[in-house]
Protein backbone atom coordinates (compact mmCIF):
# COMPACT_ATOMS: atom_id res chain seq x y z
CA UNK A 1 0.00 0.00 0.00
CA UNK A 2 2.86 2.39 0.82
CA UNK A 3 4.32 1.74 -2.61
CA UNK A 4 0.99 2.59 -4.25
CA UNK A 5 0.80 5.85 -2.30
CA UNK A 6 4.41 6.64 -3.19
CA UNK A 7 3.89 6.16 -6.92
CA UNK A 8 0.52 7.92 -6.86
CA UNK A 9 2.06 11.01 -5.29
CA UNK A 10 5.03 11.17 -7.65
CA UNK A 11 2.91 10.70 -10.79
CA UNK A 12 0.34 13.16 -9.43
CA UNK A 13 3.22 15.62 -8.90
CA UNK A 14 4.09 15.39 -12.59
CA UNK A 15 0.48 15.95 -13.63
CA UNK A 16 0.03 18.85 -11.21
CA UNK A 17 3.10 20.70 -12.48
CA UNK A 18 2.38 20.19 -16.19
CA UNK A 19 -1.38 20.82 -15.89
CA UNK A 20 -0.72 24.03 -13.96
CA UNK A 21 1.60 25.06 -16.77
CA UNK A 22 -1.18 24.52 -19.29
CA UNK A 23 -3.55 26.38 -16.97
CA UNK A 24 -1.40 29.53 -16.95
CA UNK A 25 -0.94 29.46 -20.71
CA UNK A 26 -4.63 28.99 -21.45
CA UNK A 27 -5.69 31.61 -18.91
CA UNK A 28 -3.55 34.03 -20.90
CA UNK A 29 -5.33 32.99 -24.11
CA UNK A 30 -2.77 30.63 -25.68
CA UNK A 31 -3.57 26.92 -26.08
CA UNK A 32 -0.45 24.93 -25.24
CA UNK A 33 -0.77 21.58 -26.97
CA UNK A 34 3.04 21.44 -26.95
CA UNK A 35 3.35 20.44 -23.29
CA UNK A 36 4.53 16.98 -24.33
CA UNK A 37 7.49 18.42 -26.23
CA UNK A 38 8.23 20.92 -23.46
CA UNK A 39 8.32 18.07 -20.95
CA UNK A 40 10.82 16.16 -23.09
CA UNK A 41 13.12 19.17 -23.45
CA UNK A 42 12.88 20.02 -19.75
CA UNK A 43 13.64 16.39 -18.94
CA UNK A 44 16.66 16.57 -21.26
CA UNK A 45 18.02 19.66 -19.52
CA UNK A 46 17.59 18.13 -16.07
CA UNK A 47 18.95 14.73 -17.12
CA UNK A 48 22.10 16.26 -18.61
CA UNK A 49 22.67 18.12 -15.37
CA UNK A 50 22.25 14.85 -13.44
CA UNK A 51 24.72 13.22 -15.82
CA UNK A 52 27.50 15.79 -15.75
CA UNK A 53 27.34 17.24 -12.22
CA UNK A 54 29.37 15.01 -9.85
CA UNK A 55 27.15 12.93 -7.56
CA UNK A 56 29.41 13.97 -4.67
CA UNK A 57 28.11 17.56 -4.58
CA UNK A 58 25.75 18.43 -1.70
CA UNK A 59 22.18 17.28 -2.29
CA UNK A 60 20.75 20.80 -2.14
CA UNK A 61 23.19 21.95 -4.86
CA UNK A 62 22.21 19.03 -7.08
CA UNK A 63 18.50 19.73 -6.58
CA UNK A 64 18.85 23.44 -7.39
CA UNK A 65 20.99 22.84 -10.48
CA UNK A 66 18.71 20.13 -11.90
CA UNK A 67 15.56 22.17 -11.31
CA UNK A 68 17.18 25.28 -12.80
CA UNK A 69 18.28 23.38 -15.92
CA UNK A 70 14.86 21.79 -16.48
CA UNK A 71 13.04 25.09 -15.92
CA UNK A 72 15.39 27.09 -18.16
CA UNK A 73 15.29 24.64 -21.07
CA UNK A 74 11.50 24.32 -20.76
CA UNK A 75 11.07 28.10 -20.86
CA UNK A 76 13.43 28.54 -23.82
CA UNK A 77 11.62 25.81 -25.76
CA UNK A 78 8.21 27.32 -24.98
CA UNK A 79 9.41 30.56 -26.58
CA UNK A 80 8.96 28.84 -29.95
CA UNK A 81 5.24 28.56 -29.24
CA UNK A 82 5.06 32.11 -27.89
CA UNK A 83 6.69 33.64 -30.96
CA UNK A 84 4.62 31.56 -33.39
CA UNK A 85 1.28 32.07 -31.63
CA UNK A 86 1.63 35.65 -30.37
CA UNK A 87 3.89 37.42 -32.86
CA UNK A 88 3.06 35.51 -36.04
CA UNK A 89 -0.52 34.61 -35.03
CA UNK A 90 0.00 31.02 -36.18
CA UNK A 91 -2.56 28.31 -35.48
CA UNK A 92 -1.81 27.40 -31.86
CA UNK A 93 -2.81 23.76 -32.18
CA UNK A 94 -0.50 23.23 -35.15
CA UNK A 95 2.35 25.10 -33.46
CA UNK A 96 1.96 22.99 -30.32
CA UNK A 97 1.87 19.78 -32.35
CA UNK A 98 5.08 20.81 -34.10
CA UNK A 99 6.71 21.35 -30.69
CA UNK A 100 5.73 17.83 -29.66
CA UNK A 101 7.21 16.28 -32.80
CA UNK A 102 10.37 18.36 -32.64
CA UNK A 103 10.95 17.86 -28.90
CA UNK A 104 11.42 14.10 -28.90
CA UNK A 105 13.38 14.10 -32.18
CA UNK A 106 15.73 16.86 -31.02
CA UNK A 107 16.30 15.20 -27.64
CA UNK A 108 17.21 11.89 -29.29
CA UNK A 109 19.68 13.58 -31.66
CA UNK A 110 21.31 15.58 -28.85
CA UNK A 111 21.66 12.60 -26.49
CA UNK A 112 23.04 10.34 -29.22
CA UNK A 113 25.56 13.01 -30.19
CA UNK A 114 26.71 13.34 -26.57
CA UNK A 115 26.94 9.58 -26.10
CA UNK A 116 28.88 9.16 -29.34
CA UNK A 117 31.30 11.91 -28.30
CA UNK A 118 32.05 9.92 -25.14
CA UNK A 119 32.22 6.55 -26.88
CA UNK A 120 32.02 5.88 -30.62
CA UNK A 121 30.29 2.57 -29.91
CA UNK A 122 27.51 4.17 -27.85
CA UNK A 123 24.74 5.36 -30.19
CA UNK A 124 21.89 4.98 -27.69
CA UNK A 125 19.54 7.78 -26.64
CA UNK A 126 19.78 6.78 -22.97
CA UNK A 127 21.02 8.90 -20.07
CA UNK A 128 21.82 7.19 -16.75
CA UNK A 129 21.72 8.99 -13.38
CA UNK A 130 21.76 6.26 -10.73
CA UNK A 131 23.79 8.06 -8.05
CA UNK A 132 22.75 11.64 -8.82
CA UNK A 133 19.05 10.83 -8.46
CA UNK A 134 19.55 9.92 -4.78
CA UNK A 135 19.78 13.63 -3.92
CA UNK A 136 16.00 13.90 -4.46
CA UNK A 137 15.05 10.93 -2.28
CA UNK A 138 14.55 10.63 1.48
CA UNK A 139 13.71 7.25 3.00
CA UNK A 140 11.03 7.51 5.72
CA UNK A 141 10.49 3.98 7.02
CA UNK A 142 9.12 2.03 4.08
CA UNK A 143 8.14 5.20 2.22
CA UNK A 144 10.44 6.87 -0.31
CA UNK A 145 9.78 10.60 -0.14
CA UNK A 146 10.76 12.59 -3.21
CA UNK A 147 11.41 16.34 -2.87
CA UNK A 148 9.47 16.85 -6.10
CA UNK A 149 6.31 15.91 -4.21
CA UNK A 150 6.80 18.92 -1.95
CA UNK A 151 7.67 21.16 -4.90
CA UNK A 152 4.43 20.17 -6.66
CA UNK A 153 2.37 20.90 -3.54
CA UNK A 154 4.03 24.31 -3.17
CA UNK A 155 3.44 25.04 -6.87
CA UNK A 156 -0.24 24.23 -6.42
CA UNK A 157 -0.63 26.68 -3.52
CA UNK A 158 1.43 29.40 -5.22
CA UNK A 159 -0.54 29.02 -8.47
CA UNK A 160 -3.84 29.48 -6.64
CA UNK A 161 -2.56 32.61 -4.91
CA UNK A 162 -1.06 34.05 -8.10
CA UNK A 163 -4.15 33.44 -10.24
CA UNK A 164 -6.81 34.56 -7.77
CA UNK A 165 -5.14 36.81 -5.20
CA UNK A 166 -2.76 38.99 -7.21
CA UNK A 167 -3.02 41.78 -9.77
CA UNK A 168 -0.91 39.73 -12.17
CA UNK A 169 -3.36 36.82 -12.00
CA UNK A 170 -6.34 39.10 -12.59
CA UNK A 171 -4.67 40.63 -15.63
CA UNK A 172 -3.62 37.23 -16.97
CA UNK A 173 -7.16 35.85 -16.72
CA UNK A 174 -8.57 39.04 -18.30
CA UNK A 175 -6.34 38.48 -21.34
CA UNK A 176 -7.76 34.99 -21.73
CA UNK A 177 -11.37 36.09 -21.33
CA UNK A 178 -11.57 39.41 -23.17
CA UNK A 179 -8.21 40.72 -24.40
CA UNK A 180 -9.74 43.80 -26.06
CA UNK A 181 -11.26 44.88 -22.74
CA UNK A 182 -7.99 44.21 -20.97
CA UNK A 183 -6.11 46.30 -23.53
CA UNK A 184 -8.59 49.17 -23.13
CA UNK A 185 -7.56 49.58 -19.48
CA UNK A 186 -3.85 49.61 -20.25
CA UNK A 187 -2.92 45.91 -19.93
CA UNK A 188 -0.29 44.78 -22.45
CA UNK A 189 -1.94 41.62 -23.80
CA UNK A 190 1.15 40.50 -25.70
CA UNK A 191 3.35 40.66 -22.60
CA UNK A 192 0.78 38.84 -20.47
CA UNK A 193 0.46 36.07 -23.05
CA UNK A 194 4.22 35.74 -23.21
CA UNK A 195 4.24 35.47 -19.42
CA UNK A 196 1.58 32.74 -19.49
CA UNK A 197 3.44 30.68 -22.09
CA UNK A 198 6.80 31.08 -20.31
CA UNK A 199 5.27 29.97 -17.01
CA UNK A 200 3.83 26.93 -18.79
CA UNK A 201 7.31 26.21 -20.14
CA UNK A 202 8.81 26.51 -16.68
CA UNK A 203 6.31 24.15 -15.07
CA UNK A 204 6.19 21.79 -18.06
CA UNK A 205 9.98 21.47 -18.11
CA UNK A 206 10.02 20.79 -14.38
CA UNK A 207 7.29 18.17 -14.82
CA UNK A 208 9.43 16.48 -17.46
CA UNK A 209 12.40 15.86 -15.18
CA UNK A 210 10.07 14.67 -12.42
CA UNK A 211 8.53 12.14 -14.80
CA UNK A 212 11.75 10.57 -16.10
CA UNK A 213 13.20 10.22 -12.58
CA UNK A 214 10.03 8.68 -11.11
CA UNK A 215 10.96 5.11 -10.19
CA UNK A 216 13.82 4.69 -12.70
CA UNK A 217 17.49 5.64 -12.82
CA UNK A 218 17.91 6.04 -16.58
CA UNK A 219 15.79 7.23 -19.47
CA UNK A 220 15.70 6.41 -23.16
CA UNK A 221 14.63 9.62 -24.88
CA UNK A 222 13.17 7.78 -27.86
CA UNK A 223 10.27 7.01 -25.51
CA UNK A 224 9.49 10.69 -24.99
CA UNK A 225 7.24 11.05 -21.94
CA UNK A 226 4.66 8.43 -22.96
CA UNK A 227 1.81 10.85 -23.55
CA UNK A 228 1.93 12.43 -20.10
CA UNK A 229 1.72 15.91 -21.62
CA UNK A 230 -1.65 15.04 -23.13
CA UNK A 231 -2.74 13.36 -19.90
CA UNK A 232 -1.90 16.60 -18.09
CA UNK A 233 -4.15 18.47 -20.53
CA UNK A 234 -6.96 16.06 -19.62
CA UNK A 235 -6.29 16.77 -15.93
CA UNK A 236 -6.44 20.51 -16.63
CA UNK A 237 -9.77 20.24 -18.47
CA UNK A 238 -11.24 17.89 -15.86
CA UNK A 239 -10.05 20.35 -13.21
CA UNK A 240 -11.83 23.20 -14.99
CA UNK A 241 -8.64 25.28 -15.25
CA UNK A 242 -8.66 25.76 -11.45
CA UNK A 243 -5.57 24.83 -9.36
CA UNK A 244 -7.44 23.14 -6.51
CA UNK A 245 -9.51 21.01 -8.86
CA UNK A 246 -6.38 20.19 -10.85
CA UNK A 247 -4.77 18.87 -7.67
CA UNK A 248 -7.63 16.44 -7.00
CA UNK A 249 -7.83 15.38 -10.65
CA UNK A 250 -4.08 14.72 -10.70
CA UNK A 251 -4.37 12.43 -7.67
CA UNK A 252 -7.11 10.44 -9.41
CA UNK A 253 -5.17 10.02 -12.65
CA UNK A 254 -1.93 9.45 -10.73
CA UNK A 255 -3.57 6.57 -8.85
CA UNK A 256 -4.48 4.76 -12.05
CA UNK A 257 -1.00 5.35 -13.47
CA UNK A 258 0.58 4.03 -10.27
CA UNK A 259 -1.37 0.78 -10.53
CA UNK A 260 0.70 -0.24 -13.55
CA UNK A 261 3.80 -0.18 -11.33
CA UNK A 262 2.46 -1.95 -8.24
CA UNK A 263 -0.51 -4.10 -9.29
CA UNK A 264 1.52 -7.28 -8.72
CA UNK A 265 1.48 -6.48 -4.99
CA UNK A 266 -2.33 -6.82 -4.83
CA UNK A 267 -3.54 -10.46 -4.96
CA UNK A 268 -7.03 -9.42 -6.08
CA UNK A 269 -5.61 -7.66 -9.14
CA UNK A 270 -3.19 -10.50 -9.90
CA UNK A 271 -6.10 -12.96 -9.76
CA UNK A 272 -7.75 -11.10 -12.64
CA UNK A 273 -4.84 -12.24 -14.82
CA UNK A 274 -4.98 -9.10 -16.94
CA UNK A 275 -1.98 -8.28 -19.16
CA UNK A 276 0.31 -5.61 -17.74
CA UNK A 277 -0.43 -3.46 -20.79
CA UNK A 278 -4.01 -3.06 -19.57
CA UNK A 279 -2.76 -1.35 -16.42
CA UNK A 280 -0.43 0.83 -18.50
CA UNK A 281 -3.44 1.90 -20.56
CA UNK A 282 -5.69 2.64 -17.58
CA UNK A 283 -4.92 6.35 -17.06
CA UNK A 284 -5.47 7.08 -20.75
CA UNK A 285 -8.71 5.07 -20.89
CA UNK A 286 -9.93 6.83 -17.76
CA UNK A 287 -9.04 10.21 -19.27
CA UNK A 288 -11.15 9.44 -22.36
CA UNK A 289 -14.10 8.31 -20.24
CA UNK A 290 -13.88 11.28 -17.88
CA UNK A 291 -13.59 13.82 -20.70
CA UNK A 292 -16.46 12.21 -22.61
CA UNK A 293 -18.78 12.87 -19.67
CA UNK A 294 -17.38 16.18 -18.40
CA UNK A 295 -15.94 18.12 -21.35
CA UNK A 296 -19.40 19.25 -22.48
CA UNK A 297 -19.80 21.20 -19.24
CA UNK A 298 -16.26 22.56 -19.14
CA UNK A 299 -15.77 26.29 -19.43
CA UNK A 300 -12.46 27.22 -20.99
CA UNK A 301 -11.23 30.83 -21.12
CA UNK A 302 -13.31 32.49 -23.85
CA UNK A 303 -10.45 33.90 -25.89
CA UNK A 304 -8.11 30.92 -25.74
CA UNK A 305 -6.74 29.92 -29.11
CA UNK A 306 -7.75 33.24 -30.71
CA UNK A 307 -4.79 35.35 -31.88
CA UNK A 308 -5.00 38.86 -30.47
CA UNK A 309 -5.34 41.69 -32.95
CA UNK A 310 -4.84 45.05 -31.30
CA UNK A 311 -6.83 46.82 -33.99
CA UNK A 312 -9.90 44.59 -33.54
CA UNK A 313 -12.70 45.64 -31.21
Amino acid sequence: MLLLIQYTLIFASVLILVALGGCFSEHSGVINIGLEGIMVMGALGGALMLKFVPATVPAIVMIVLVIAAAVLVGMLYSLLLAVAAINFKADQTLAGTALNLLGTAAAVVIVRAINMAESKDNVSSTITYIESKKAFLVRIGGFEFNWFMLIAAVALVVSYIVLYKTKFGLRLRACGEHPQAADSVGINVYKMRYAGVLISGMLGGLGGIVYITAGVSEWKFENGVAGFGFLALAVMIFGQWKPVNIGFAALLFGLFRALSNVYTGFPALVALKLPSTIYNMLPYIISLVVLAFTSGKSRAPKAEGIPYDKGQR
Side-chain angles (χ1 to χ4, degrees):
M1 182 58 72
L2 276 178
L3 198 58
L4 177 62
I5 295 172
Q6 175 185 311
Y7 276 108
T8 297
L9 290 178
I10 194 62
F11 285 127
S13 298
V14 178
L15 293 172
I16 286 171
L17 290 168
V18 183
L20 286 175
C23 183
F24 273 95
S25 182
E26 297 203 7
H27 271 306
S28 74
V30 178
I31 297 175
N32 193 347
I33 299 294
L35 286 170
E36 183 95 355
I38 291 171
M39 284 182 71
V40 173
M41 295 305 290
L44 175 63
L48 289 176
M49 193 64 72
L50 285 168
K51 177 182 176 67
F52 291 113
V53 173
T56 53
V57 303
I60 185 64
V61 175
M62 179 67 77
I63 292 170
V64 170
L65 288 175
V66 170
I67 289 174
V71 164
L72 180 61
V73 174
M75 291 178 71
L76 288 174
Y77 194 63
S78 68
L79 273 176
L80 295 175
L81 173 64
V83 171
I86 300 170
N87 293 89
F88 295 110
K89 297 178 173 57
D91 184 287
Q92 295 169 15
T93 301
L94 292 179
T97 302
L99 256 64
N100 291 335
L101 296 173
L102 176 63
T104 302
V108 170
V109 170
I110 292 169
V111 174
R112 283 185 174 176
I114 291 171
N115 287 337
M116 286 184 69
E118 294 179 340
S119 172
K120 294 296 182 181
D121 296 327
N122 186 1
V123 293
S124 75
S125 62
T126 302
I127 292 180
T128 303
Y129 35 83
I130 298 171
E131 294 300 320
S132 302
K133 177 190 168 184
K134 294 178 182 178
F136 293 89
L137 306 176
V138 178
R139 178 69 64 175
I140 305 174
F143 182 80
E144 191 175 78
F145 174 77
N146 191 312
W147 285 110
F148 284 129
M149 298 175 186
L150 178 61
I151 291 170
V154 171
L156 197 63
V157 174
V158 171
S159 296
Y160 175 81
I161 294 172
V162 169
L163 282 173
Y164 298 106
K165 303 295 181 181
T166 67
K167 186 184 294 185
F168 172 82
L170 178 63
R171 290 178 174 180
L172 189 79
R173 288 185 290 121
C175 292
E177 291 292 338
H178 202 308
Q180 283 76 21
D183 193 11
S184 69
V185 294
I187 298 172
N188 189 318
V189 176
Y190 297 116
K191 286 185 178 179
M192 295 307 296
R193 289 193 168 184
Y194 258 96
V197 174
L198 286 174
I199 292 172
S200 77
M202 176 183 72
L203 293 171
L206 184 56
I209 189 62
V210 180
Y211 179 75
I212 70 165
T213 56
V216 296
S217 297
E218 65 176 24
W219 192 256
K220 188 174 184 179
F221 277 86
E222 287 178 4
N223 297 330
V225 288
F228 244 64
F230 295 106
L231 194 59
L233 286 173
V235 168
M236 179 191 69
I237 296 169
F238 184 45
Q240 294 290 299
W241 292 266
K242 297 177 181 178
V244 175
N245 293 351
I246 284 173
F248 288 117
L251 286 171
L252 173 65
F253 284 76
L255 172 63
F256 286 106
R257 176 61 181 83
L259 280 175
S260 65
N261 289 68
V262 301
Y263 75 94
T264 53
F266 293 87
L269 294 179
V270 174
L272 295 174
K273 296 181 179 180
L274 295 175
S276 61
T277 50
I278 296 294
Y279 294 99
N280 290 330
M281 291 165 57
L282 266 181
Y284 307 101
I285 294 172
I286 296 300
S287 69
L288 289 173
V289 173
V290 167
L291 291 179
F293 286 99
T294 62
S295 60
K297 299 179 181 179
S298 63
R299 185 189 176 280
K302 290 181 181 178
E304 72 164 12
I306 303 174
Y308 176 61
D309 183 355
K310 192 176 178 67
Q312 184 179 358
R313 285 289 184 268

